[in-house]
């Protein structure tokens, strides 16, 4: 959805319920077309916009930090923690210059399996590097995990994400796709460990091949 300019964004907010669904760091060599105009080469937001008068009119907005801050301010929404899988130098200080930055993954007490599933979903957004479908069940599962982070996710959610990876257009496991990105990026090992998810799939009544 085109969101160039403050006036355009104000009009969108008047007519659509705009909710932030992801805040992602691009890796080396990745770029993203911004709905606000300029090409993104650092970090970006994904918003889900639902028409206030037509619930079946759902759009995706992808934009850089300038437009994202504007949307967060216009909608009075909390900013999302940045999913940055890179190893950062000890002296590096991140300043996203966003309102409501108190919302941080560091303060969340995650169930280990839930955290791995959430990381997997964020990796799918990075690896696929394309606009997600507005009504993708991926966003619903992500939202549920963030709402109940201390609860172990149901097998059905793990299976659903596993099937999405299997049916994706990469034809490889998520781990293999991440390993390809490691050639040019110093990636933290803790955010690409999906051992608990694989174990849970293998321990199902009918063992399922893991695409994690």
């Amino acid at each position: 959805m085109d969101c160039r300019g403050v006036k355009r964004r104000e009009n969108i907010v008047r007519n659509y319920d705009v909710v932030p669904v992801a805040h992602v760091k691009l890796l080396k060599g990745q770029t993203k077309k911004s709905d606000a105009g300029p090409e993104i080469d650092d970090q970006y937001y994904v918003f889900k916009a639902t028409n206030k008068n037509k619930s079946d009119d759902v759009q995706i907005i992808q934009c850089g930090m300038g437009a994202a801050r504007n949307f967060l301010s216009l909608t009075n929404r909390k900013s999302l923690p940045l999913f940055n899988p890179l190893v950062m130098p000890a002296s590096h200080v991140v300043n996203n210059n966003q309102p409501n930055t108190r919302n941080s993954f560091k303060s969340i007490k995650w169930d280990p399996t839930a955290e791995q599933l959430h990381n997997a979903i964020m990796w799918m957004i990075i690896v696929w590097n394309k606009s997600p479908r507005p009504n993708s069940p991926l966003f619903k599962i992500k939202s549920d995990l963030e709402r109940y982070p201390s609860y172990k996710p149901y097998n059905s959610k793990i299976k659903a994400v596993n099937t999405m990876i299997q049916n994706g257009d990469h034809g490889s496991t998520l781990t293999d796709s991440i390993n390809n990105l490691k050639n040019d990026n110093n990636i933290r090992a803790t955010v690409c460990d999906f051992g608990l998810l694989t174990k849970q799939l293998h321990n199902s009544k009918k063992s399922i091949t893991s695409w994690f």
Side-chain angles (χ1 to χ4, degrees):
M1 175 187 282
D2 177 22
C3 64
R4 300 185 187 211
V6 174
K7 294 293 185 184
R8 172 63 179 162
R9 292 192 283 273
E10 289 175 346
N11 185 61
I12 291 172
V13 170
R14 276 194 295 270
N15 294 284
Y16 287 81
D17 182 23
V18 180
V19 179
V21 293
H23 179 195
V24 183
K25 167 73 176 176
L26 287 169
L27 303 186
K28 185 176 180 180
Q30 289 186 322
T31 58
K32 179 72 64 174
K33 177 67 175 67
S34 172
D35 290 325
E39 190 172 63
I40 306 165
D41 60 6
D42 183 19
Q43 54 181 282
Y44 69 99
Y45 261 79
V46 179
F47 291 88
K48 182 178 178 180
T50 306
N51 193 305
K52 294 178 180 178
N53 297 311
K54 290 178 60 179
S55 60
D56 60 339
D57 176 12
V58 184
Q59 309 280 340
I60 285 293
I61 299 171
Q62 294 185 143
C63 59
M65 295 310 301
R69 284 192 289 268
N70 191 200
F71 273 123
L72 292 171
S73 177
L74 289 170
T75 59
N76 197 30
R77 300 275 186 182
K78 290 182 179 180
S79 61
L80 299 181
L82 172 67
F83 183 78
N84 181 1
L86 299 177
V87 173
M88 304 302 292
S91 60
H92 185 81
V93 177
V94 176
N95 180 12
N96 293 331
N97 190 27
Q98 298 181 76
N100 301 310
T101 52
R102 65 183 180 277
N103 186 15
S104 170
F105 279 162
K106 291 182 180 180
S107 63
I108 298 175
K109 294 182 178 179
W110 284 97
D111 167 81
T113 305
E115 185 172 22
Q116 285 193 8
L117 188 59
H118 189 273
N119 286 342
I121 290 172
M122 298 306 298
W123 269 115
M124 290 164 71
I125 295 173
I126 291 176
V127 167
W128 291 348
N129 196 26
K130 61 182 181 181
S131 298
R133 291 182 290 110
N135 284 321
S136 170
L138 200 66
F139 289 149
K140 176 64 168 62
I141 296 173
K142 177 179 177 292
S143 176
D144 288 344
L145 290 169
E146 291 166 353
R147 189 174 301 168
Y148 307 106
S150 60
Y151 290 85
K152 186 175 181 178
Y154 293 122
N155 279 349
S156 59
K157 295 186 185 298
I158 297 174
K159 291 176 183 177
V161 175
N162 190 61
T163 300
M164 290 179 213
I165 300 171
Q166 181 182 7
N167 293 339
D169 57 7
H170 280 255
S172 60
T173 66
L174 188 58
T175 296
D176 285 341
S177 295
I178 294 171
N179 286 339
N180 289 335
L181 293 171
K182 287 181 178 179
N183 294 329
D184 298 313
N185 297 276
N186 189 8
I187 294 173
R188 291 183 286 129
T190 53
V191 296
C192 47
D193 176 9
F194 309 119
L196 294 175
L197 303 177
T198 296
K199 181 179 179 180
Q200 197 153 326
L201 289 173
H202 288 170
N203 289 342
S204 301
K205 290 182 180 179
K206 184 177 180 181
S207 181
I208 297 172
T209 300
S210 174
W211 282 80
F212 292 103

